[in-house]
Amino acid sequence: MIESIEVWAYEQGPVKSALVATIFTWLMTAMGASIVFFFKTIRRSVFDTMLGFTGGVMIAASFWSLLTPALEYAKEIHPGLHWAPVAGGFLLGGLFIFLLDRLLPHLHINFSKSESEGIPTNWHKSTLLLLAITLHNIPEGLAIGMLFGTAALNLDQATLTAAIALTIGIGIQNLPEGMAVAMPLRRNGASRTKSFMFGQLSAMVEPIAGVVGALAVVYMKNILPYALAFSAGAMIYVVVEEVIPETQRDKYTDLAVLGFMLGFTIMMILDVGIG
């Protein structure tokens, strides 16, 4: 199965492959959001566990899928100083999300509207929730696109299998992200259709970010270590600043940690065992 996907991706090229891969992760978000057609509420314990799972996947992907190949490739173009572009790209990725976090109005999932962040606005709570999850999805789309772009350069440090493994991992963790937007809206009285539409809309940015990431790597090969580390830094910032705090506001923190560990383990297996 994986070999067949690899052959197809090789034939299609990095940009088209990245587009299809991120459309898949978008559809996984939509699948998660579709739960509102069957349930109106979800237990907070399950909710926090799923958010923890999301954080675990993102942390593991940041290390094995992005930082490790970035360091290996940097050794070839910056021998003796290979840590510098990776460290710089990592910090820039975090700074990029920090600036978006300060500027873009948004609301974390388990927070009240009075705790919204970014430029003050009178936007509806559902819109703010949507923008918060959209922030999560920007670095995810970039990471997938950059890894497909890296694989197209025929480097030993990155393969199509690794890009596919990352896509599967991000897709799995997008299921709870879709629920994370849709379920609170449904619980607060929004219709099933509106809740679903907002839930899946949060991942629309992934195909755009995926194509941008693939193009950046393919046409600017020398920025590869910076680009991969940039995506890793962006994802780490999202996890530490948004995902983890959202799981620590109720009595189910232990379940959130177990979810985190499960997500981390599954992504590690995908990347090391398959990628």
Side-chain angles (χ1 to χ4, degrees):
M1 178 65 175
I2 296 294
E3 290 180 358
S4 299
I5 297 174
E6 279 189 77
V7 171
W8 179 88
Y10 179 80
E11 292 174 348
Q12 300 304 313
V15 176
K16 187 173 181 179
S17 297
L19 177 61
V20 172
T22 46
I23 288 175
F24 163 75
T25 59
W26 176 15
L27 292 176
M28 291 293 281
T29 305
M31 187 182 298
S34 68
I35 197 173
V36 297
F37 292 110
F38 308 98
F39 303 97
K40 185 172 183 178
T41 61
I42 187 170
R43 290 183 179 180
R44 180 62 183 268
S45 58
V46 175
F47 199 75
D48 286 348
T49 303
M50 291 190 303
L51 283 178
F53 179 90
T54 293
V57 169
M58 293 175 74
I59 292 288
S62 297
F63 179 74
W64 276 287
S65 298
L66 300 170
L67 288 176
T68 297
L71 285 166
E72 290 300 316
Y73 183 63
K75 289 179 182 178
E76 297 181 6
I77 59 176
H78 298 288
L81 203 64
H82 61 281
W83 54 268
V86 178
F90 183 81
L91 293 174
L92 283 174
L95 181 62
F96 172 71
I97 299 298
F98 167 78
L99 292 174
L100 283 182
D101 197 58
R102 288 299 182 93
L103 296 174
L104 184 68
H106 64 283
L107 177 65
H108 295 199
I109 295 165
N110 291 325
F111 289 50
S112 64
K113 189 173 181 181
S114 62
E115 297 176 281
S116 61
E117 300 179 2
I119 296 174
T121 179
N122 292 322
W123 291 352
H124 194 273
K125 184 176 180 178
S126 58
T127 303
L128 297 173
L129 282 169
L130 172 64
L131 291 174
I133 299 298
T134 301
L135 274 176
H136 292 196
N137 289 322
I138 291 174
E140 292 170 10
L142 282 173
I144 292 172
M146 287 176 180
L147 216 55
F148 273 101
T150 303
L153 298 176
N154 296 317
L155 301 172
D156 293 336
Q157 296 82 10
T159 64
L160 282 173
T161 310
I164 294 167
L166 177 63
T167 302
I168 294 171
I170 295 296
I172 291 172
Q173 67 97 44
N174 272 7
L175 282 167
E177 282 197 353
M179 292 185 224
V181 177
M183 290 305 294
L185 296 178
R186 178 65 181 143
R187 187 171 59 248
N188 291 332
S191 68
R192 289 184 174 90
T193 301
K194 180 179 179 180
S195 299
F196 168 76
M197 290 302 296
F198 269 82
Q200 61 86 27
L201 277 172
S202 65
M204 280 190 67
V205 70
E206 284 196 9
I208 299 171
V211 169
V212 170
L215 287 171
V217 170
V218 169
Y219 291 103
M220 293 179 283
K221 182 178 177 180
N222 287 336
I223 72 164
L224 181 55
Y226 300 94
L228 292 174
F230 179 94
S231 292
M235 285 212 284
I236 294 294
Y237 186 96
V238 165
V239 173
V240 177
E241 199 274 335
E242 296 189 16
V243 177
I244 292 177
E246 288 165 11
T247 68
Q248 304 298 302
R249 294 172 65 87
D250 211 313
K251 59 183 179 180
Y252 303 108
T253 56
D254 52 347
L255 293 178
V257 173
L258 291 175
F260 180 97
M261 294 181 70
L262 178 62
F264 187 96
T265 302
I266 289 176
M267 189 64 232
M268 178 181 67
I269 292 170
L270 284 172
D271 212 317
V272 177
I274 299 177

